[in-house]
Structure formats: C-alpha cells, structure tokens
Amino acid sequence: MHCGLPTVCSTADDPTRVFCCGGCRQAYELIHGWGLDDYYAIRDRTGGSTGVFSKADASRYDAFDDDQYLGASAPRRAADGSLSTELSVSGLHCAACAWLIENVAGRTRGWTLARVKLNRHTVQIVFDPQQIKLSEIADLIGRLGYTLSPLTTEPVDRFRQENRRLLMQIAVAGFCAANAMWIAIALYAGDASGVAGEHRLFLRLAAAALGIATVAFPGRTFFVSALAALRNWTPHMDLPVALGLSVGTIVGLVNAISGSGEVYFDSLAMLVFLLLIGRWIQFRQQHRAASAVDLLLRITPQHARLVDEDSPEGPDRWVMVNSLKAGQVIRVNVSESLPVDGRIIAGESMLDRSLLTGESVPVEAKVGDGVTAGTVNLSRPIKVRVEAIGADSRIGRVMESVEAAMAQRTPIVQLADRIGGVFVVVVTLLAAIAFAAWFSHGIDVATANATSLLIVACPCALALATPLAIAVSLGRAAKRKILIRDGDVLQQLSGRGKVWFDKTGTLTEGRPRAELVYGSTDGLRMAAAIERECCHPIADAILREADRLDLIPATGADEIQLGAGGLSGRCQGLRVDVGNESFLRRQGVELSSDVTEHCERCLQNQTTPVIVAVAGCVVAVLAIADPVKQDAKSTIDRIRQAGWDVGILSGDHQELVGKVSRRVGIDPQNAFGGLSPEDKLKRVTTGAAGPVVMIGDGANDAAALAAADVGIAVRGGAEVSLQAAPVFVASGTLESVADLMDASRRTNHLIRTTFAVSLAYNVIAVVLAIFGFISPLVAAVLMPISSVSVLSLTLGWPTFAEDAS
C-alpha cells in the first residue's frame, strides 16, 4: 500500500491495507493520522514511489542537535527566535514526496516551515527550538521513509557559474531576438503600406544595433571557437556558424547604413538564440558526469562514530568522514552503512554487499576481514580500523571510473552535424561565386542575389531535422515513463549489438519472498520472532510473510546468536534455530527424511530452503525465492528477434545466474556470475562488434552503465546508477526496454526521411537563388517553409507502435 512494491496478499484482504513491512505500516498510520491521504493520489499521478525503510537506530538523529555535526547546515537564528537550516534529503522520487514533507510541517507543533527543492534534493526547515528539536524533525521525516543529512561542501561552483553564464547569454540573445523580430514585422508592414523615410531608417538602424549586440556579446562564443578551430586546423560546426554570422552581419549593416536592400538581423539574432539553447542542453548532459563524484557522498555516510582508543568502552564521538585518518577506529552499528574501507578489529556480523557486488545473499564477516564503504552491517555492531576514505575507497574508485567512462563516451555524430559544416561552407562559397557572376549587372543585383542565397539556404531545417525528431521521440517516451537524457541513445538502439542484463533487481524482482512449504504456521511465527532482530533480505522476506498472515509476535526473542548460515535465540523460553541444513546440523538438530525431501524440492524449484527448529525439533521449512519478473522472457525474446545478442552480468553466484538464464531463455554460456564492478566494466568495454547496452539497477552497475554505449537503469535502481545511465525505465516493466528499441528504429528512419526532405529543399533553393529567381524578400518568406515541412512530418510520424493506431 505505502511503498508501492508488490506484496502478496489473499483475495480476502483489502489491498489498500496490505503492507510489505512494519515500516510501511508505521508510515501509513502517520500519514493517515495527519489527514494527508492525498499524498497517495499525488504519488500515483506523478509516477513516484516511496523510499525503502530501514531499521536504523533512531538515536542517530541526536547528532542533529550538534552544530559541529551539521557543519554547513548549522541552523541560523532569525529575529523572531526561530531557527532555519537546509539539509540534504534522500529518498525523494516525485512531487508527492515534496508535498508530503511540506504538509507534515504544518501539522507538527513547533515546525513552522518545510520547503523541498526536488532539483537539489534538499529541504529548508524553519522551526521553533523552544517547542521542537531538529533531531525530532529528522526522526519524524525518517519515519516517513526519507533520510536527512547535512549539506556537503563538495566544490560545484564551477558548474554553477558556467550554467549561470550560459543562461545569461540565452537571456540576452532572447531579448534581442524578440525585439528584432518586432522591428522586422514593422519594416515588412511599412513596405506594404508605406512608412516615412526617417522612421524606416531608424527602424533599420535599431534592428542593426540589436543584431550586432547579439552577435558581439552572446554570439562571440562561436567566433572564439571558430578562431581556435582555424589555429589548430580542426574545423567544426562553430566555424561555418561564425562565417554565416559574419557575412550576414556585414551585409545587413551595409544595407542598414545605405538605406537600400534588406536587413536580416532578426534571423541572425534568432539563430544565435537557438544555438545557445542547444549548447546549454549539451552542457547539462556533460555536467552529469561531474555529478557522479558528488553522488559518492550521497551513497556513503558523511559521518562516522569515532572510537576513543584510550577509552574504547566510552561514548563514541560523531565526526565528519573526511576528517578521519588511516589507523583510526570507528564503530558501525546494526543497519548502518560503512563509511570507509577498513578491517574489522572487533565483532562478527553479516554484511549486505549488494551495493557494490550485487550479491543477493549477505556474507559473514569476522575479525581480520576487510570491509568496504557502502556495505551495510546487518546483525551486530563491529569496530573497523580505517584504511581508505572518500575517493581512495573502493566505491570511490568505482565512482571515478563512472566519471571517466562518461567523459570518454563519444556521442554519435548526427548526420546533420557530419555534413552541416561542409554545407554551410559550400553555400558561402557559392554565394561568393553568385556575387562575382552577377557583378556585371551591378553591385546591388550581385549583393541581392548573394544575400538571397545565404538566406534561403540557411540550414535551419537541415539542423532541425535530427534534433526535432529526437525531441519528439523523447517526449513520447517520457509519456510511457521511459526517461531518456541523451538523444544519441535512439540512434544506438536502432542498430544491432550486445545487450547485457544485470540479474538481481533487473531480471528478478530483487526482493526475496518466503513461502511455508512444510510444517505449521507456529514455526513461521517463531521464525519471525527471531528474525525481527535481524536486518538481512531473508529476514525481511520471513517477516513480510508473517505480517501478511498476521503472525508477528508481540515480543521479540532473547539471546540472539548469529552463525554462518543461520541464527539462534530464545522465544517464550524455547530455543529456536533458523537457517540452512548445515547450520541446523551444527546446532544438533536431526533432519528427518521428510525435511530433507522438502529441502531438495526447494532446490529443484530454484528456491532457497530455510529450516525452523524449536527445542531441537524441525517444525517448518520455508522456501525463499527471488522470482523472475513475469515479462523478462518475453522482453528478451523480442530483443533477440531484433538482432541483438543477449547475456547476463551479475555479482551473484554463478549457479543462481545459470538457473535464471535458463528460465529467461539465455544461453548459460553467455551468463556470467561472481563479477565485481570492475569485471562488469571490462566485459562491457571489450569484445563487442556493435553497440553495447547495459541494463541494471544497482550501484555496482554504475561504471558499466556509464561505459556502455547505452546504459539503461530500471526502476528501483540506486541513485548513482540513474545518474550514470542515460535511460531510466520508470514504468516498472522490462517490456518498456523492447518498446524503446522498436521506437529507436522508427526514429532513425524518421531522421533519414526528414533529413532527405530538408536537404532536397535546400539544394533546389540554392539553384534558384544562383540563377536570380529569388529576391531577398522572397528568400526570407521561403526560408521557414522547409522547417514547417520537417515539423509536420515529425509530429505525424508513428514513433511507438501505439502512435500508429
């Protein structure tokens, strides 16, 4: 009900009151109690989902009352005595999340204001310290499924300054273009109905001033780039743009001063405006690569519990992670992520390494074992001696590989870009030839014909064909909850190559489910009593099943002991053991033939058997499965029929990967398990004849997603994966990937068609202009016709299969 994840329930249950876990139930009760049920309607309309809840220690929010801990987010006091602060918030997905947090503030005593900034993932909080503490607000937001943390001081000023500079250039160019267009309308109207000579001269000079201002200030970036291209003998698109702007400006200025001929500064100003918008979009795409390093701080904790080695049993001290040094000791409690790479010096626990490796099963860690940042401690507190932090940690190196891979990716050079520069240079030369050929008829005739050629052959439609087709396709994909951040994706997916799938959370649900296959529900209830103190995926599966059957006990268990393959404890005075066969045997539990037969049947059905024993006797067997998504096989069949070769890259065990590959129709020899993030990156970047597509959802896939020609992050993926991948499938279905590939082929055909139409138009127009059949005024009227034809063709083209119906 709350998080939107699929939850098993009986037909008698009310689906609006079914919860996957206690955290979702608690959040629902809070929201319902505040009267904010509209949150769910807003969430569903915007396609959002609620964050996943953790069982983190609530006391961790106590540090929010310490200004030293908050750093740059330390509250500032206003004149009325209230405090204001801005904090990072993770778990935001859509406008519904922002609406919920902002409305909760108005229903909480002492919490005056909350303003969520979705684009920055921050929230501004104003509160009365006499009535409520910041730690209480943080805890309240945490109970809703969102996590607050102090703002980082990562240097992003350079990108903000460049973004501001580009936007200022666009604003100036837009202002000049709009006013130049109005002046052009006045001049054309005056030519038709008559206008005083002095007024006409004033308007022409005003248009010239606006055009020159546009070219000289916001447009100077093209001249700087063109001069650099000439100095290095590496011509690119800015060179013909600068040539066109130069010729247009000189001819327009001469005509404006002389009072004869046409001025075309409105076209020049609009051209600069549109080109700058395209450059800003490109800059925003490049900025994503630099953001990958900042995302490192969102994935790993920013603070750590520093242990005083002189008084190891004394209270820990919260410190910033970047202040830690190698050799210091930190404590990591249950449910907390490790902020550093290091080595365990005290304690034993189970660790969830899925963030980095993709392993779906927690692993045991003991004294002397190395651990990495981003790993989640599941069962017992441990002490870790620091070895590497930040960029020097393993996850830091993965993030660096993400940034490097994105920087090295060379976008497909669009067809218009490949010949557009040559076309404009050729047109400019033809204009010079036309001027020379018509010079014998007088300089005015020669200038008019040359200018007509430059205007009517302006490659607007030629340059518009590809980006317009891509923009329309991106918009139609977004309506189907397929978000694409790079138009080159459509050209890559229109071909044939290699598609790699991650397993956990991509081909499978990524969320284990438990099913009672032997014994009584009392065994499930006792298992839930033991597992509620643990925090690994198998425990969550058992607790969800027990909650669905209303078997969650009121009290937990005592004397919990964790071992390899299971855990033990006491519940209602009885010893309870929960684990695999080898664990139960080590505990001295005898397994009957019925029990072993059910365990073997579980393995045959590709599920993991978990045995529950009470007082030394087996009372239940549970089957734990991470089911394959229903549309996985049909999606893979469609992709293969389109000519792609399909395989699996997973960090999970090879045996499990092989079983999944057979179920979805992938050759087991093309399914690889036990891979590290570095191994996945190597597979993606080597040995492929065509485009390589990587489809995944975990942070361990981030480098591979970035290095692939096309990275596709599926719903539920880690935040860094969504930044590394240019495609985010928010629909929740793998079929959307196959739909996107079909749409890409149709878009590529559209691009070729519109390009041919615009190129044919420009060739015909150039010929007519050379022979003097087109005047400058007619040229100005004919110029937009090719753009209109390209626009009409693009809007009517069936990009997705449904568009044709």
Side-chain angles (χ1 to χ4, degrees), residues 170-189:
I170 291 172
V172 172
F175 171 81
C176 294
N179 286 278
M181 290 293 290
W182 281 113
I183 292 175
I185 292 174
L187 287 171
Y188 291 141

Side-chain angles (χ1 to χ4, degrees), residues 25 120 217 274 505 515 569 657 698:
R25 183 189 296 276
R120 295 184 57 194
F217 295 102
L274 296 176
E515 180 184 0
V657 175

Side-chain angles (χ1 to χ4, degrees), residues 8 18 108-109 150 214 232 259 316 390 404 408 420 439 462 465 566 592 612 645 681 695 709 725 734 755 804:
V8 180
V18 175
T108 304
R109 185 170 177 270
T214 305
N232 296 287
D316 303 329
Q408 291 172 1
F439 189 76
L462 197 64
S592 65
V612 182
D645 186 23
L681 179 62
I695 305 173
D709 294 303
L734 283 177
F755 188 82

Side-chain angles (χ1 to χ4, degrees), residues 497-520:
K498 184 77 174 184
V499 176
W500 292 111
F501 280 90
D502 177 43
K503 181 186 75 69
T504 306
T506 303
L507 293 176
T508 67
E509 296 289 350
R511 203 172 190 222
R513 297 178 183 175
E515 180 184 0
L516 182 65
V517 296
Y518 171 81
S520 66

Side-chain angles (χ1 to χ4, degrees), residues 33-48:
W34 279 316
L36 298 177
D37 298 88
D38 287 345
Y39 158 74
Y40 297 105
I42 297 173
R43 180 199 67 188
D44 295 339
R45 286 199 302 269
T46 56

Side-chain angles (χ1 to χ4, degrees), residues 389-662:
I389 64 172
D392 295 327
S393 65
R394 185 181 177 189
I395 196 171
R397 293 193 296 271
V398 170
M399 292 303 101
E400 286 183 350
S401 67
V402 170
E403 186 178 14
M406 295 185 74
Q408 291 172 1
R409 289 179 63 199
T410 303
I412 298 177
V413 181
Q414 298 174 353
L415 189 57
D417 292 334
R418 288 200 295 267
I419 73 171
V422 176
F423 180 84
V424 175
V425 172
V426 170
V427 167
T428 304
L429 293 176
L430 289 176
I433 294 172
F435 180 85
W438 288 95
F439 189 76
S440 60
H441 294 76
I443 189 170
D444 290 339
V445 174
T447 301
N449 288 336
T451 304
S452 298
L453 191 151
L454 287 170
I455 294 173
V456 79
C458 177
C460 293
L462 197 64
L464 181 67
T466 299
L468 181 62
I470 290 176
V472 170
S473 298
L474 297 188
R476 290 174 177 174
K479 290 182 179 179
R480 291 160 177 81
K481 296 185 178 181
I482 305 172
L483 307 181
I484 305 172
R485 301 187 181 105
D486 188 349
D488 290 318
V489 164
L490 298 175
Q491 292 188 355
Q492 293 277 24
L493 293 180
S494 65
R496 297 179 178 181
K498 184 77 174 184
V499 176
W500 292 111
F501 280 90
D502 177 43
K503 181 186 75 69
T504 306
T506 303
L507 293 176
T508 67
E509 296 289 350
R511 203 172 190 222
R513 297 178 183 175
E515 180 184 0
L516 182 65
V517 296
Y518 171 81
S520 66
T521 55
D522 284 340
L524 177 59
R525 181 175 56 82
M526 300 294 274
I530 298 293
E531 297 287 358
R532 69 186 299 176
E533 304 301 328
C534 203
C535 195
H536 57 74
I538 292 178
D540 287 340
I542 293 174
L543 288 170
R544 286 198 305 273
E545 180 67 6
D547 187 54
R548 184 182 73 84
L549 299 175
D550 199 21
L551 297 174
I552 297 292
T555 58
D558 300 321
E559 303 177 16
I560 300 295
Q561 294 181 349
L562 183 69
L567 72 164
S568 303
R570 300 192 70 82
C571 182
Q572 300 177 0
L574 299 175
R575 178 178 176 82
V576 180
D577 300 295
V578 183
N580 57 28
E581 292 184 59
S582 59
F583 175 79
L584 268 293
R585 287 195 172 97
R586 288 198 304 270
Q587 302 304 311
V589 177
E590 293 187 6
L591 304 181
S592 65
S593 58
D594 285 346
V595 173
T596 56
E597 182 180 344
H598 279 88
C599 290
E600 291 175 1
R601 189 174 296 119
C602 287
L603 294 173
Q604 292 172 1
N605 294 332
Q606 302 175 12
T607 61
T608 302
V610 173
I611 305 170
V612 182
V614 178
C617 297
V618 175
V619 296
V621 175
L622 303 172
I624 309 295
D626 183 6
V628 174
K629 290 182 178 178
Q630 293 182 354
D631 58 351
K633 190 176 188 309
S634 60
T635 299
I636 290 172
D637 289 341
R638 288 179 59 188
I639 293 175
R640 188 183 290 109
Q641 290 171 6
W644 293 81
D645 186 23
V646 184
I648 298 177
L649 300 178
S650 176
D652 218 336
H653 301 293
Q654 180 64 48
E655 182 180 356
L656 295 176
V657 175
K659 291 178 180 178
V660 170
S661 69
R662 284 187 286 271

